Amino acid sequence: MATSKQQTFSRRSFLRTSALASGGMLIGFNLFNACKPEAKMPVDISQLNFNDFNAFIRISEEGKVSIFSPNPEIGQGVKTSMPMLIAEELDVLWDDVYVVQAPLDTEKYKNQMAGGSQSIRQNWMPLRQTGATAKQMLINAAAARWGVDASECTAKLGVITNAKGETLGYGDVVVEAASLEVPEDVKLKDPKDFTIIGQHTANVDIDKIVTGKPLFGMDYKVEGMVYAAVLRPPAFGQVLESFDATAAKALPGVIDVITIGEKARAYIERGKLSWTAPLSKSDKVVVIAKSTWDAFKGKKAIKAIWKNELPLESTEDHDKLLMDLLDGNTFNTRRSDGDVKKAFAEADKVLERTYEAPFLPHNCMEPMNFFASVTPEKIHLAGPVQTPEEAAKVVSDMLGRDLDDIHVDMTRMGGGFGRRLYGDFVFEVAEIANAIQKPVKMVSSREDDMTTGVYRPATKYRIAASVKDGKVTGYYLKEAAINSNMYGLVPNFFPAGAIENYQVDTANYKSAITTGAWRAPYTNFLASAEQSFFDELAETLGVDRIQLHIDLLQNVKGNTDKRIQYSPERLEGVIKLVVDKSNWGKAESGVYQGFSVYYCHNTHVAEVADVVMENGFPIVKKVTCAIDCGVVVNPLGALNQAKGGVIDGIGHAMYSSLSFKNGEPQSNNFNTYQLIRMGQTPIVDVHFVDSDIAPTGLGEPTLPPVGAAVANAIYAATGKRLTKQPYMSHLQTEKIVG
């Protein structure tokens, strides 16, 4: 927690946290010398003589500073916000900061991945401490040169000043400082003295992004590189039987056609399959070509025959299977408080609803792609992946190479949303490179990405509540999902602890269709279901929707159950803030409002959606969002993350769905799969709780609650309760809209 008191850390703590501060981001930067304004940025900063302070900070004799943090940038802004933490405590001018992406280095860094909205949360203290420690070492070096006590010196904007007013720049004392022992204790800034943290700061890559400079995996090139396109089974449950590549090999630009799959199968059979490696047992046909376009044309010319290895499933099968699971008894109990059966048996009334959500692809703007070069000396991998360390381990095992032989460069990603947690595309290109012994980049088309991906699983929830004497006495949540179990902390989110008799059960159907994490895993639809249910429950009880939540939260205050993850006080705080900012209950005529509140990824969020009816269709005009995520490191980036999560959540709840027929996805591009359009995006009004608590997650928490806020607003407008996503299809099926 950031407090008004200065924080101190021991040398032992610094050495430990220096190694652990990687958290979830990949960052490095050069802080240009503020104390020498006449000094110009060198053409090639890599040629300067840098001295290392630790795994994160290097300072040259010219005063240039490089700071590295090794986790991937997937658009969540960590390449900007994490350097801000170090720059704040190092005390340099942000305008003089240059950010560099670090490669995978398992010796220097830990937990090199991006996911779960954990990057800032895990690195808040370690990275600040890293900057503060380096600053103190520079001060100590300057004090030694002057022959004075370090307590008589201060540092600001890269300049160290003593009691006499004499000054030295960071670069002037870097050699001496680098040779000093790490200080036993360092002090962190009082939050009131922050000059960088809490300031609106532009994305450090924004100029390169808008001018098309090479940053992303699709931009990555090396001399002599060839391109690969992979033909995979068209349906989940199929494997390759045979193929004819005659026509493909005759095309201009096609170099060769090969198959891969042997290495992946052997890896699977060894039983070492990582959770990040959803590999198929099928052989795959690979076209090697001089360009991506040549490779794509060659792939289309392949004549392949596929055979069914597993039953080919359709959406109708999934609907029946999941409903049978909900009706059955094969559940795993994740949490059980009190006696739910007794509460329901003694109830005056029981409300029960079933909520349904479809498979969803990730649809990252940048399709899956990766580069690999395999030589006797090393394996070089480069591209966009959220789990570089795990990818390196799997490649090492697949190809039988020492892990030290593998070098991974991480590029900026054109979207991740959980899809790039899974390194199947990395393992494919590694096997290709190993087979052809040439540097190669595998590129997927949009159709490849959508039809051979890792999807959000189709899920159904059945929620029931018992009411006795006008009070909620029991709550029972059952989940049935494809390849997914609700686990861990989710059963300990609201309303856990708020209702005396409370039970969460899960059931799972194992499918050949590959599923995995999708933005705000588990909670992305669960929040919609639960908060839609609570809206109806309040109506059933005849009580105010807001008051029902606040009353239930009073039951959690003072609760010593350590399983409960949310804070009732903070959840109540965002509820009151959104009520105030949204003009709740006072909307103008023709505007219908819906409320929702949720805790996930360590952050508390409340939202109110404003819906109007236009030409018989519900239109989301505005969403007001109140967020308690602790200290907001970069308000500009935070606003972008919050708004993006809300819009993404609305789009998928309202419009998106992926169905299957005989194992084959029925949408393969955006002409048949609807994402939210520009004209359908509402105004998103975001308000952050002013806090000095250490920051929590922000990339994901605004998405889960918005589905229910919209559904509840549509109910207010139409009188129709929405229990099935996407909502527009549900409304049209029920003939509520045209």
Side-chain angles (χ1 to χ4, degrees), residues 139-292:
I139 291 173
N140 292 349
R145 182 182 293 190
W146 284 319
V148 301
D149 191 272
S151 63
E152 300 176 20
C153 305
T154 59
K156 186 175 183 179
L157 301 181
V159 179
I160 304 162
T161 305
N162 64 21
K164 296 179 181 179
E166 297 172 319
T167 62
L168 287 169
Y170 283 177
D172 295 327
V173 294
V174 62
V175 175
E176 297 99 311
S179 65
L180 296 178
E181 288 190 9
V182 176
E184 286 293 334
D185 295 288
V186 295
K187 291 184 178 181
L188 299 184
K189 284 186 177 180
D190 189 307
K192 67 180 178 58
D193 297 324
F194 287 162
T195 59
I196 296 175
I197 294 173
Q199 300 301 308
H200 289 272
T201 305
N203 186 314
V204 295
D205 283 337
I206 192 62
D207 290 341
K208 292 179 180 179
I209 291 171
V210 299
T211 57
K213 296 295 190 300
L215 284 170
F216 299 90
M218 293 292 284
D219 302 321
Y220 192 88
K221 295 179 181 179
V222 300
E223 188 174 351
M225 183 178 79
V226 295
Y227 296 82
V230 180
L231 180 64
R232 306 173 183 90
F236 289 89
Q238 290 185 328
V239 295
L240 181 67
E241 183 171 344
S242 63
F243 71 97
D244 181 354
T246 305
K249 290 181 176 180
L251 291 174
V254 172
I255 299 170
D256 199 2
V257 178
I258 66 170
T259 60
I260 60 169
E262 180 182 354
K263 300 287 186 183
R265 275 195 305 279
Y267 178 74
I268 294 171
E269 289 167 1
R270 287 196 296 275
K272 294 184 177 181
L273 192 60
S274 164
W275 69 272
T276 65
L279 298 174
S280 167
K281 292 183 179 180
S282 175
D283 281 339
K284 301 167 188 176
V285 185
V286 182
V287 177
I288 311 298
K290 295 179 180 179
S291 71
T292 300

Side-chain angles (χ1 to χ4, degrees), residues 330-605:
T330 56
F331 285 94
N332 293 314
T333 297
R334 303 297 179 179
R335 177 167 175 150
S336 180
D337 299 343
D339 190 335
V340 167
K341 288 184 178 179
K342 182 179 180 182
F344 277 73
E346 296 176 350
D348 297 329
K349 183 182 299 184
V350 172
L351 175 66
E352 181 179 282
R353 292 289 179 265
T354 299
Y355 300 87
E356 306 172 65
F359 286 96
L360 291 179
H362 294 81
N363 286 327
C364 305
M365 184 62 69
E366 178 189 24
M368 300 304 108
N369 67 91
F370 224 79
F371 166 86
S373 174
V374 177
T375 67
E377 293 75 32
K378 75 171 185 177
I379 296 175
H380 181 199
L381 304 172
V385 63
Q386 292 178 243
T387 50
E389 184 175 352
E390 280 298 307
K393 289 178 180 177
V394 176
V395 170
S396 169
D397 196 293
M398 274 183 55
L399 301 186
R401 294 286 293 269
D402 193 285
L403 190 59
D404 291 339
D405 291 347
I406 300 177
H407 176 82
V408 182
D409 284 321
M410 290 171 279
T411 64
R412 192 179 180 95
M413 296 179 230
F417 312 116
R419 173 61 182 95
R420 286 186 162 98
L421 288 169
Y422 306 94
D424 48 301
F425 47 94
V426 182
F427 316 136
E428 285 180 347
V429 76
E431 191 170 356
I432 295 167
N434 185 67
I436 67 175
Q437 291 294 296
K438 291 181 181 179
V440 57
K441 182 159 75 172
M442 187 285 296
V443 180
S444 291
S445 66
R446 175 62 58 195
E447 289 80 4
D448 294 331
D449 228 22
M450 193 176 289
T451 60
T452 61
V454 179
Y455 307 105
R456 183 189 81 170
T459 305
K460 297 186 191 298
Y461 292 111
R462 182 167 292 164
I463 308 176
S466 58
V467 177
K468 178 72 173 177
D469 298 329
K471 301 292 183 182
V472 181
T473 58
Y475 187 88
Y476 187 20
L477 166 67
K478 293 196 291 186
E479 177 200 70
I482 302 291
N483 292 344
S484 176
N485 278 322
M486 187 168 64
Y487 66 96
L489 305 182
V490 178
N492 301 313
F493 294 175
F494 180 83
I499 299 172
E500 181 179 1
N501 304 294
Y502 171 81
Q503 186 166 327
V504 177
D505 289 349
T506 63
N508 179 46
Y509 172 75
K510 187 171 178 56
S511 168
I513 297 171
T514 312
T515 61
W518 190 94
R519 190 174 188 178
Y522 305 101
T523 61
N524 52 61
F525 177 57
L526 175 59
S528 292
E530 287 196 308
Q531 283 297 298
S532 295
F533 182 82
F534 269 98
D535 194 81
E536 186 172 1
L537 181 59
E539 185 177 56
T540 300
L541 291 167
V543 300
D544 179 78
R545 291 153 173 78
I546 304 297
Q547 195 60 47
L548 173 62
H549 283 84
I550 291 177
D551 288 345
L552 288 173
L553 288 172
Q554 306 316 304
N555 299 334
V556 192
K557 293 179 180 179
N559 194 320
T560 58
D561 185 347
K562 294 183 179 179
R563 294 175 299 169
I564 296 172
Q565 299 302 309
Y566 64 94
S567 161
E569 292 83 6
R570 296 175 76 178
L571 212 55
E572 184 176 341
V574 293
I575 291 173
K576 291 180 177 179
L577 180 60
V578 83
V579 165
D580 176 55
K581 298 298 183 181
S582 67
N583 202 29
W584 172 259
K586 303 174 184 176
E588 61 185 62
S589 177
V591 176
Y592 303 91
Q593 293 187 308
F595 165 80
S596 178
V597 62
Y598 206 70
Y599 163 90
C600 69
H601 297 85
N602 310 106
T603 292
H604 304 75
V605 179

Side-chain angles (χ1 to χ4, degrees), residues 93-148:
L93 188 66
W94 179 253
D95 288 343
D96 292 337
V97 171
Y98 177 70
V99 180
V100 179
Q101 180 79 57
L104 176 69
D105 190 329
T106 56
E107 291 186 5
K108 289 183 178 179
Y109 311 109
K110 304 294 181 183
N111 192 30
Q112 286 189 268
M113 68 172 292
S117 297
Q118 296 299 306
S119 298
I120 293 297
R121 177 173 175 260
Q122 293 182 0
N123 287 282
W124 169 247
M125 282 302 185
L127 290 186
R128 289 177 61 200
Q129 180 196 358
T130 295
T133 301
K135 181 176 75 171
Q136 188 61 52
M137 292 170 73
L138 292 161
I139 291 173
N140 292 349
R145 182 182 293 190
W146 284 319
V148 301

Side-chain angles (χ1 to χ4, degrees), residues 567-712:
S567 161
E569 292 83 6
R570 296 175 76 178
L571 212 55
E572 184 176 341
V574 293
I575 291 173
K576 291 180 177 179
L577 180 60
V578 83
V579 165
D580 176 55
K581 298 298 183 181
S582 67
N583 202 29
W584 172 259
K586 303 174 184 176
E588 61 185 62
S589 177
V591 176
Y592 303 91
Q593 293 187 308
F595 165 80
S596 178
V597 62
Y598 206 70
Y599 163 90
C600 69
H601 297 85
N602 310 106
T603 292
H604 304 75
V605 179
E607 296 175 350
V608 169
D610 291 358
V611 166
V612 299
M613 299 297 292
E614 294 183 2
N615 300 318
F617 288 89
I619 305 296
V620 185
K621 300 296 287 186
K622 181 180 179 181
V623 174
T624 305
C625 184
I627 305 170
D628 186 345
C629 61
V631 173
V632 179
V633 175
N634 179 8
L636 179 60
L639 284 169
N640 291 336
Q641 285 294 297
K643 292 181 179 182
V646 168
I647 293 169
D648 195 16
I650 292 172
H652 284 92
M654 288 286 285
Y655 308 112
S656 302
S657 177
L658 183 68
S659 62
F660 289 82
K661 185 174 182 179
N662 295 325
E664 188 170 349
Q666 295 303 286
S667 297
N668 67 6
N669 212 317
F670 296 137
N671 61 323
T672 55
Y673 181 90
Q674 186 174 350
L675 290 171
I676 193 168
R677 309 295 195 236
M678 289 293 289
Q680 296 165 332
T681 59
I683 295 170
V684 182
D685 184 24
V686 178
H687 301 270
F688 293 100
V689 172
D690 189 14
S691 173
D692 65 357
I693 296 174
T696 54
L698 197 53
E700 296 167 289
T702 63
L703 186 149
V706 75
V710 169
N712 295 336

